[in-house]
Amino acid sequence: MLKRVTRLVPRACQLDPGHFLHGGPQAPQSLAARLDDQVPDENPRAGSHPSEDDPAGAGEQREGRHYRIPLQDLPTVFPHGLPRRFSLQVRTFNEACLMVRRPALELLRHLDDTNFAHPAVRYVLYGEKGTGKTLSLCHVVHFCAKRDWLIVHVPDAHLWVKSSRGLLRSAYSRRRFDQPVEAANWLKSFKTANERFLSQIKIQETYMWNKRESTEKGRPLGEVVEQGLTRVKNATDAVGIVLKELKSQSCSGAFRLLVAVDGVNALWGRTTLKREDKSLMAPEELALVHSLRKMVRNDWHGGAVVLALSQTGSLFTPRMACLPQELLGKEGFDALDPFVPILVSNYSPEEFESCIQYYLENSWLQHEKAHTEEGKKELLFLSDANPGQLERLCAYL
Amino acid sequence: MAAAALSAWLTLQPGTRTLRAFCTSVSPATRSAIPSPPDRRPRYERPLRRKALPPRTEKMTLDQDWPSVYPVAAPFKPSAVPLPIRMGYPIKRGVPMAKEGNLELLKIPNFLHLTPVAIKKHCEALKDFCTEWPAALDSDEKCEKHFPIEVDTTDYVSAGPSIRNPKARVVTLRVKLSSLNLDDHAKKKLIKLVGERYCKTTDVLTIKTDRCPLKRQNYDYALYLLTVLYHESWKTEEWEKDKTEADMEEYVWNNSSSEKNILETLLQMKAAEKNLEVNKEELLATKEVEEYKKSVVSLKNEGDNENTLSQYKESVKKLLNLM
């Protein structure tokens, strides 16, 4: 399959550049048509061509191939946005294509086979910098969104422990601190992502916000979210309530819950936030971190927890640290134990080839040597098959 | 004389631009600056200058007795060493300097008096003062078994006004902990007490003493230290039960948070399957939990690497029925 693709590419380049660029959206189809002529019995979507929109597929044959997320899904499934460079790529190519890779496939297989009566299993994606942990997490989130799960997605837990303005003493517990801005942002994204569930789920307790306002038992969860959004001072408490309710109600089986947190090592690391007397805070003293820690414990069932470790953005960790115990520390490891560690590594040769094909098809690589064998070998050597590095290199070509 | 001849030969060479420094050199400059007054005595009364003899190396045979040429530590004599040694930094397009008149060869210590033949002769001479090695101790293991403690002392002999040397009082005592009768708690306590003096890879405790003025006193002190350490490590004080997890040398599974987590998880799983008649010991004794325990212990003790992480992953998958 791969040989045929490489033979095709020189043929495509014999067309003059004007023709190629002209038929931008049509070019992939012309390629597909050629493949059809050549190999009528094989699957027409060979190589890296974006195929179905269904994130789960036929298993290992789909490894290395891209799948497309429809653009209208993006604001609802990923309201806080995808990672910065990927969203730039989405805007440039006008389509969001993720490569299907082995760690994501493994996770999806496990999620398919989840036993919802058992306690939630925690999966931790770890790997070196730039290998695709965040995008694998996004793949899983999209998969679960398509399957109609309720998604609790924290795109980067590091943002909650870093420079945050407007720290308030929590009204609920004197020892902890609120972060109204971050909490309000998260509530907004949560609302966009899970609109349809907010009216279905009813809260099981009465919550008093202050002397005059309260939310009665049996009201939809949407009201708690609204309260948090309108009264920003109560936003952190609203987040805590939302998480608590979701946890207790997921056991009932009305919905499936997916908790996806990126940069989870921030919850057990150190912060750079200072108290009034200028001493550094421990993460436990932040109410948001406290509620999130309770969420990733496995004392509930009816869903799954997918976490990704991240050194970029983490505080006070060495740059080369990428293994679970190094980033989580003793406390984090003991809190997450037992979890399933999933390694995300650099591209395999097929995946690398597929990625280059994708860039070539979208005319992203303009350098004349980019499609030759030596060009590819050079790119492989320079990037060491690291997806992040490859993407940055190709941006210059 | 050889030096003077050499300097003349060098100045005749067209390639050399620099004259090297010699230890015994009479530079042409000084010779010409102060001319000696003419000697008016008749030729038969002038002191006869001996001609330079050929170096001793030319008369050496291949099977000569080398220890007699260099019986003691002596400086390097180029005329007495028959080896064509060169030493020094070469100038451009040149080679290192030859051995004649080479200061570098004089500066370094040489062991020409300690060739294997010479050492053999020394040993033969010393044999008269030695006793027989006990025949029963013919292997290292037997030596260790019967004589586990090794004591190193050094004696210094030098020619000088006094025979005393302050360095001679140092006594080093080495013993393997496996030959001492220690149980688990005693061994850990002993290692904590001695700190740096214990080597983990070779399991050897080294005690070096030099605080007393005499060697005999230092030896007694070292033995006393060993005795005290041994007896103290067997005792258990009451404050030792405050030992926290942070003090532990290695990860202990029992009563750890990992054990509690897994127990809770398993109980919840069983409760979900409506299987309420299990008890904790049974749950903890299953094969999967054993495997999980081993993988967690190796992960914590050895740190993260591919092996330990994949082992942990497999054991968790089996435990949570994810296969």
Side-chain angles (χ1 to χ4, degrees):
Chain A
M1 209 198 298
L2 211 55
K3 267 195 281 185
R4 290 207 170 86
V5 173
T6 47
R7 253 193 301 145
L8 266 184
V9 173
R11 201 185 285 192
C13 290
Q14 276 161 23
L15 305 162
D16 57 308
H19 175 93
F20 202 70
L21 287 170
H22 218 306
Q26 290 145 25
Q29 274 139 20
S30 69
L31 267 180
R34 257 174 233 277
L35 278 165
D36 266 333
D37 297 341
Q38 285 235 315
V39 190
D41 47 332
E42 266 193 37
N43 190 341
R45 309 281 204 232
S48 70
H49 182 70
S51 56
E52 313 95 67
D53 307 336
D54 184 18
E60 278 77 30
Q61 296 103 307
R62 308 201 61 254
E63 203 180 302
R65 286 154 63 168
H66 289 77
Y67 88 93
R68 198 194 296 126
I69 308 179
L71 283 174
Q72 62 266 27
D73 273 354
L74 282 184
T76 36
V77 178
F78 301 110
H80 11 238
L82 297 160
R84 194 178 68 91
R85 287 199 77 94
F86 187 68
S87 52
L88 286 176
Q89 185 181 305
V90 165
R91 225 179 314 148
T92 321
F93 292 167
N94 227 10
E95 59 176 6
C97 276
L98 281 181
M99 194 195 292
V100 177
R101 296 181 68 196
R102 196 172 300 160
L105 277 178
E106 200 186 319
L107 251 182
L108 297 180
R109 208 177 41 221
H110 284 313
L111 285 176
D112 259 337
D113 302 332
T114 337
N115 184 341
F116 293 105
H118 283 176
V121 183
R122 291 165 294 192
Y123 305 93
V124 174
L125 292 164
Y126 70 98
E128 288 183 5
K129 189 167 154 174
T131 44
K133 304 179 282 287
T134 311
L135 282 184
S136 298
L137 193 72
C138 295
H139 185 165
V140 171
V141 166
H142 183 238
F143 171 85
C144 294
K146 272 270 172 315
R147 294 271 191 287
D148 234 13
W149 290 34
L150 207 164
I151 314 275
V152 170
H153 182 40
V154 178
D156 194 358
H158 291 299
L159 295 173
W160 288 2
V161 300
K162 286 201 274 200
S163 52
S164 149
R165 297 176 171 230
L167 276 177
L168 305 167
R169 278 255 167 213
S170 168
Y172 183 66
S173 151
R174 299 288 325 157
R175 280 175 307 144
R176 295 202 272 267
F177 289 86
D178 274 357
Q179 285 156 295
V181 181
E182 278 87 16
N185 279 339
W186 188 80
L187 278 174
K188 223 183 320 190
S189 337
F190 179 72
K191 186 172 156 187
T192 350
N194 302 300
E195 264 316 337
R196 55 193 183 284
F197 288 105
L198 290 179
S199 42
Q200 290 169 14
I201 305 176
K202 308 276 185 264
I203 55 177
Q204 287 169 344
E205 266 183 45
T206 313
Y207 297 104
M208 298 280 297
W209 299 108
N210 48 36
K211 279 193 271 240
R212 272 160 292 183
E213 292 179 24
S214 68
T215 318
E216 309 298 325
K217 179 170 150 175
R219 306 291 305 161
L221 198 62
E223 282 200 14
V224 176
V225 177
E226 284 304 323
Q227 176 74 22
L229 283 173
T230 42
R231 294 236 183 267
V232 183
K233 267 173 75 170
N234 296 335
T236 321
D237 292 328
V239 171
I241 293 170
V242 161
L243 291 179
K244 189 169 114 182
E245 288 293 324
L246 287 176
K247 200 160 125 168
S248 53
Q249 292 196 21
S250 71
C251 310
S252 61
F255 55 85
R256 313 259 176 85
L257 182 60
L258 175 78
V259 180
V261 184
D262 198 357
V264 73
N265 43 318
L267 298 180
W268 290 280
R270 289 159 65 179
T271 67
T272 43
L273 303 172
K274 298 206 176 91
R275 298 187 206 108
E276 290 99 15
D277 52 359
K278 306 272 201 276
S279 53
L280 280 180
M281 254 193 259
E284 299 82 54
E285 298 183 28
L286 293 168
L288 276 180
V289 170
H290 182 83
S291 9
L292 200 58
R293 275 197 200 178
K294 283 198 280 193
M295 200 67 198
V296 298
R297 282 175 55 192
N298 66 344
D299 46 2
W300 52 280
H301 58 262
V305 181
V306 180
L307 311 164
L309 298 175
S310 155
Q311 195 279 331
T312 21
S314 75
L315 299 160
F316 305 106
T317 45
R319 211 153 70 86
M320 302 310 291
C322 61
L323 297 167
Q325 273 199 97
E326 291 169 358
L327 284 174
L328 288 171
K330 189 176 163 316
E331 228 186 291
F333 186 86
D334 286 334
L336 286 182
D337 193 32
F339 61 90
V340 180
I342 300 182
L343 172 66
V344 182
S345 52
N346 287 334
Y347 279 151
S348 63
E350 299 85 32
E351 290 173 344
F352 179 80
E353 191 62 49
S354 159
C355 186
I356 299 280
Q357 287 305 322
Y358 175 66
Y359 286 140
L360 283 170
E361 278 168 12
N362 285 31
S363 330
W364 188 234
L365 299 173
Q366 292 291 328
H367 198 274
E368 55 279 352
K369 287 235 192 87
H371 53 84
T372 56
E373 276 307 310
E374 304 113 34
K376 283 186 201 156
K377 271 195 222 155
E378 213 177 300
L379 280 174
L380 180 66
F381 176 74
L382 282 173
S383 63
D384 195 26
N386 184 293
Q389 199 59 18
L390 181 66
E391 198 263 317
R392 281 177 162 82
L393 278 174
C394 294
Y396 296 119
L397 293 174
Chain B
M1 277 176 281
L6 185 59
S7 75
W9 177 75
L10 266 183
T11 43
L12 283 174
Q13 292 288 57
T16 47
R17 282 180 205 96
T18 52
L19 254 183
R20 314 255 191 151
F22 292 104
C23 48
T24 58
S25 75
V26 180
S27 63
T30 51
R31 245 202 332 234
S32 53
I34 314 164
S36 47
D39 199 352
R40 291 181 198 282
R41 287 180 289 175
R43 194 167 289 215
Y44 52 86
E45 276 181 43
R46 282 185 217 156
L48 292 164
R49 197 168 70 171
R50 223 164 33 143
K51 285 217 179 39
L53 293 171
R56 188 173 160 185
T57 51
E58 286 174 25
K59 281 189 276 201
M60 286 181 174
T61 55
L62 281 172
D63 52 355
Q64 68 168 335
D65 180 36
W66 181 255
S68 54
V69 179
Y70 264 87
V72 287
F76 181 85
K77 293 176 212 130
S79 54
V81 176
L83 305 166
I85 305 178
R86 289 184 172 271
M87 180 150 170
Y89 190 81
I91 52 173
K92 260 191 249 189
R93 310 173 55 148
V95 290
M97 275 180 58
K99 64 177 174 174
E100 283 86 6
N102 196 330
L103 185 60
E104 300 299 321
L105 283 167
L106 276 177
K107 286 200 266 193
I108 55 170
N110 67 66
F111 294 94
L112 294 161
H113 57 292
L114 290 177
T115 48
V117 181
I119 295 182
K120 238 190 167 130
K121 275 198 178 167
H122 294 325
C123 291
E124 290 296 328
L126 284 172
K127 265 202 167 87
D128 296 332
F129 302 100
C130 296
T131 53
E132 283 272 333
W133 181 260
L137 291 176
D138 46 5
S139 74
D140 271 339
E141 289 83 24
K142 282 199 197 153
C143 291
E144 256 189 53
K145 185 169 141 227
H146 295 287
F147 299 98
I149 303 182
E150 293 177 33
V151 178
D152 298 329
T153 51
T154 319
D155 293 304
Y156 297 82
V157 172
S158 64
S162 142
I163 57 166
R164 315 271 175 216
N165 192 324
K167 292 197 277 191
R169 72 182 195 282
V170 174
V171 169
T172 309
L173 188 139
R174 275 175 299 133
V175 65
K176 273 207 170 164
L177 285 192
S178 45
S179 46
L180 294 173
N181 177 21
L182 297 165
D183 72 349
D184 190 48
H185 159 263
K187 185 164 180 186
K188 290 205 174 120
K189 185 166 175 183
L190 187 86
I191 294 176
K192 270 206 194 289
L193 281 172
V194 298
E196 288 264 321
R197 297 174 185 80
Y198 175 70
C199 170
K200 214 170 169 151
T201 37
T202 54
D203 192 34
V204 164
L205 167 66
T206 313
I207 300 178
K208 194 166 175 182
T209 41
D210 66 345
R211 59 168 64 180
C212 305
L214 293 183
K215 189 191 302 191
R216 192 185 333 178
Q217 294 168 344
N218 278 318
Y219 172 72
D220 290 336
Y221 180 58
L223 282 181
Y224 160 75
L225 276 181
L226 185 63
T227 324
V228 159
L229 280 169
Y230 179 76
H231 288 295
E232 281 299 314
S233 61
W234 269 101
K235 291 189 216 162
T236 312
E237 307 276 341
E238 14 177 284
W239 41 260
E240 279 187 44
K241 55 180 177 327
D242 297 334
K243 191 176 183 188
T244 58
E245 219 179 300
D247 294 323
M248 298 281 180
E249 295 84 10
E250 52 179 22
Y251 185 70
V252 166
W253 161 268
N254 296 328
N255 291 336
S256 69
S257 55
S258 180
E259 192 190 10
K260 291 193 202 93
N261 285 347
I262 195 73
L263 202 56
E264 266 174 44
T265 318
L266 284 174
L267 281 172
Q268 281 178 10
M269 278 166 69
K270 295 290 179 209
E273 291 164 14
K274 310 282 185 286
N275 197 356
L276 293 159
E277 315 90 45
V278 285
N279 63 349
K280 296 194 183 148
E281 284 75 24
E282 256 182 44
L283 274 180
L284 288 177
T286 50
K287 198 167 65 97
E288 284 97 21
V289 178
E290 280 297 314
E291 222 181 282
Y292 173 74
K293 167 182 168 180
K294 255 191 285 195
S295 63
V296 170
V297 167
S298 70
L299 197 63
K300 290 261 183 178
N301 283 338
E302 291 168 37
D304 287 333
N305 57 38
E306 254 185 68
N307 225 357
T308 46
L309 278 170
S310 55
Q311 229 180 354
Y312 178 72
K313 183 172 168 181
E314 293 307 310
S315 64
V316 169
K317 285 214 286 214
K318 277 199 199 121
L319 209 49
L320 301 176
N321 297 334
L322 285 175
M323 295 300 245

